[in-house]
Every structure is written in C-alpha cells, then in structure tokens.
Amino acid sequence: LVLSGYWRTLVGQIKDLKLLSAIERLSAFLLALSPRQAGRVTVTLPGGRRLIAARLGVTPQSLSRAFAALRPLGVSGGGRDVTIEDAARLREVATTRPSR
C-alpha cells in the first residue's frame, strides 16, 4: 500500500516534468511551499536556485527566465526568500495547461 502511494507520486512528478512548462512547474512548486491562503505570501526555498532548477528539471537559466516571467504576476525576491503578492492569481497560472 505504501509502495503504491510512492509509485503514484513518482508517476505524477514525471508527468509534470513532461507536460508542464518551466513557468507552470515553478508556479506549482512555489504554491506547494506556501500555506493555503490567498493574498501575500512569503516562502523560503528549500535550497539554492541551482538545486531548485535540478528538482524542477530545468537549467538554472530557464529557472531565472521563469522567475522573470512570473514577476508581472507579483512573484519577487532574491536569494532563498520569494514573495508572492497574490497566491490565488499564481494558482491560476499553475493550473493552466495549454491545449496541445
């Protein structure tokens, strides 16, 4: 039973890596770190940006571009602290999947 739960989690992560853009992956990752609330939220990344890029399956340069793309949506910060001005708005980006 526990093993099947791990397997489902792994399959979900692989699907995210293949189907979501870097911006969608970063949005979902930041939301997973934040408490379930609307409004302004500050999260602390669990490691350096290079580690986060590897976790999300992107290059550090792509991660920087994803952060830059999220800046107009109210995502800002430097180092390990990231501020999300409107978590509900970011949640919309994280759940938007373009039709293929």
Side-chain angles (χ1 to χ4, degrees):
L1 187 62
V2 172
L3 187 57
S4 65
Y6 287 137
W7 180 253
R8 280 192 296 274
T9 300
L10 178 63
V11 169
Q13 289 174 349
I14 292 170
K15 284 174 58 178
D16 286 348
L17 285 175
K18 297 294 182 182
L19 299 176
L20 300 179
S21 70
I23 295 168
E24 292 168 327
R25 287 183 233 167
L26 178 58
S27 299
F29 182 75
L30 292 173
L31 289 169
L33 293 175
S34 67
R36 279 270 198 212
Q37 67 183 36
R40 188 174 193 188
V41 176
T42 300
V43 297
T44 301
L45 299 176
R49 302 237 174 172
R50 187 174 291 273
L51 179 68
I52 301 303
R55 163 68 177 84
L56 296 177
V58 298
T59 64
Q61 295 83 3
S62 293
L63 182 67
S64 292
R65 285 191 291 273
F67 269 111
L70 291 178
R71 199 169 296 128
L73 297 173
V75 177
S76 62
R80 292 180 58 187
D81 292 328
V82 177
T83 301
I84 303 167
E85 291 299 327
D86 187 0
R89 187 173 177 198
L90 185 62
R91 195 166 284 111
E92 291 174 13
V93 172
T95 57
T96 302
R97 292 183 188 208
S99 58
R100 296 180 190 220

